[in-house]
Amino acid sequence: MNLEELNQIKETALAEANAAADAAALEEVRIKYLSRKGLLQDVMAQLKDVPNEEKPLFGKGANQLKQELTALIKEKQAVLSTGSRGNSCFDPTLPGQWPALGSEHPISKVTARIVEIFQTLGFTVADGPDVETVWNNFDALNTPADHPSRDEQDTFYLNSGDLLRCHTSPVQVRYMESHTPPIRIIAPGRCYRRDTPDATHSANFHQVEGLFVAEDVSMADLKGTLAYFAKQFLGEDVKIRFRPHFFPFTEPSFEVDFFFEVGGKARWIEILGAGMVDPEVFKKVGYDPDKVTGFAFGMGIERLAMIMYGIKDIRNLYENDVRFLSQF
Ligand code: PHE
């Protein structure tokens, strides 16, 4: 016998042990190689016939074979025995294990409902990035250079000179610059403001933006659209009112309140900002303000979710505590 033959035996032995599919087959392999009359004993007995210069390596190899094979068989025995014990203990009458089911986040729920209502009016969903240019977020929206919302105390600026959008209105700009009227879009998304978090403020939050541009769009269309939305969202009894306000990108501008019941008591609650698109905005995006008119509106989703579900602290919406989230 020589080294090459020894290696051959080792290869076969390990392969056979690996291939053993159950405990009995494994035991056969063990007996074949490792028992007192096994192949390994034979090998050892032949050590004396091995050429002298190969003897040390041959002895070492034979020992290694024994150790490796013993270890492999032990390991496989453990695996095969737990496997069979596991199977024999399987009790089909025990209740199954259910993975905990998640639920839709209240912000996603409210967003989906708002979008669904506007889709029935022919609005389609538009999208824009969270990182915006100053042009899209402020300039094209007719925001004067000294408007306080441009301050670094209010808006997050990036080193690149871009910013984290402070409202969803830049989606209007993007959409108008790449489409010709008539257009009717609804744009939900995340916004950022430099607010210190407290019960009603969060540095990031969500808005839904709406924009309708065509020939002869009037204030009556805006009122009708928002009244329809209010009724769909909160029920037939809801009333709406427009309060004069100012936004740089709409003229005239309004804050819109809904009158409805929360916590057992009906009251006026401010829900949206809205207005007729300022002709200056149309000029900036290359539309002819003599040909088209339009309205726009925006609302905060967290605010709506908090009102609807009676959530007292906006931070609950971001803590991802399943005890809170599973209630919705
Ligand atoms: N972008 C305004 C805000 O964040 C809301 C708004 C949108 C007002 C569209 C009018 C028209 O407060």
Side-chain angles (χ1 to χ4, degrees):
M1 179 161 273
N2 57 26
L3 259 181
E4 204 177 304
E5 287 169 290
L6 179 67
N7 283 334
Q8 202 66 56
I9 295 176
K10 183 174 174 182
E11 226 168 82
T12 331
L14 293 177
E16 283 175 21
N18 268 321
D22 53 35
L26 192 64
E27 180 62 7
E28 259 175 46
V29 177
R30 192 191 65 79
I31 292 169
K32 178 172 167 191
Y33 290 94
L34 297 174
S35 68
R36 242 189 309 140
K37 288 188 182 145
L39 263 171
L40 240 115
Q41 285 299 326
D42 278 358
V43 169
M44 289 312 218
Q46 288 182 46
L47 184 60
K48 59 182 184 341
D49 303 328
V50 173
N52 265 339
E53 66 277 12
E54 279 194 5
K55 263 194 183 118
L57 274 182
F58 190 93
K60 209 172 159 194
N63 267 329
Q64 254 174 16
L65 163 56
K66 190 174 170 189
Q67 277 165 15
E68 273 181 47
L69 188 60
T70 310
L72 179 63
I73 288 177
K74 246 199 177 145
E75 196 184 294
K76 279 213 65 161
Q77 273 170 342
V79 172
L80 289 171
S81 69
T82 49
S84 61
R85 200 181 325 128
N87 283 340
S88 67
C89 285
F90 176 69
D91 181 350
T93 63
L94 284 173
Q97 285 181 351
W98 288 88
L101 272 187
S103 55
E104 219 177 359
H105 194 282
I107 292 176
S108 306
K109 262 194 147 136
V110 172
T111 309
R113 179 70 188 126
I114 296 170
V115 167
E116 183 182 59
I117 294 169
F118 282 102
Q119 278 175 333
T120 66
L121 291 174
F123 285 73
T124 51
V125 174
D127 201 7
D130 294 13
V131 174
E132 264 298 4
T133 58
V134 174
W135 169 262
N136 287 342
N137 195 79
F138 290 127
D139 298 333
L141 289 166
N142 195 36
T143 312
D146 59 354
H147 194 277
S149 65
R150 290 192 186 242
D151 286 354
E152 281 192 25
Q153 292 97 310
D154 282 314
T155 294
F156 291 106
Y157 287 89
L158 307 174
N159 290 339
S160 63
D162 291 334
L163 46 72
L164 296 178
R165 66 178 179 188
C166 67
H167 50 180
T168 42
S169 303
V171 181
Q172 291 187 29
V173 178
R174 286 181 173 271
Y175 202 85
M176 287 193 280
E177 282 179 343
S178 55
H179 295 79
T180 45
I183 59 179
R184 219 168 351 183
I185 55 160
I186 186 96
R190 199 181 276 259
C191 311
Y192 305 80
R193 284 182 199 177
R194 217 162 167 143
D195 277 326
T196 307
D198 63 21
T200 53
H201 292 87
S202 167
N204 80 70
F205 59 99
H206 298 74
Q207 286 189 338
V208 175
E209 188 84 6
L211 175 70
F212 181 23
V213 181
E215 282 172 27
D216 296 326
V217 177
S218 72
M219 267 289 300
D221 296 316
L222 171 59
K223 271 195 145 173
T225 303
L226 292 181
Y228 172 82
F229 165 70
K231 289 200 160 111
Q232 293 293 311
F233 195 71
L234 293 163
E236 279 300 314
D237 295 336
V238 67
K239 286 183 272 194
I240 73 166
R241 79 176 174 200
F242 281 53
R243 263 185 301 111
H245 195 71
F246 173 80
F247 295 108
F249 31 91
T250 45
E251 182 58 37
S253 303
F254 309 94
E255 276 186 335
V256 184
D257 306 330
F258 292 3
F259 186 83
F260 61 102
E261 202 181 293
V262 258
K265 210 174 112 217
R267 56 192 171 97
W268 286 106
I269 297 175
E270 179 203 322
I271 301 290
L272 334 105
M276 302 307 292
V277 179
D278 195 303
E280 286 305 314
V281 175
F282 284 145
K283 283 189 213 159
K284 304 235 190 216
V285 298
Y287 283 8
D288 182 350
D290 291 331
K291 291 224 173 84
V292 290
T293 51
F295 65 69
F297 57 86
M299 61 189 124
I301 298 178
E302 278 79 357
R303 217 181 120 65
L304 275 178
M306 289 171 76
I307 293 167
M308 286 177 57
Y309 296 121
I311 298 166
K312 296 275 182 313
D313 193 320
I314 194 171
R315 290 167 292 196
N316 288 335
L317 292 166
Y318 297 111
E319 281 161 354
N320 280 343
D321 185 332
V322 285
R323 291 168 304 179
F324 170 78
L325 294 176
S326 60
Q327 299 172 63
F328 303 98

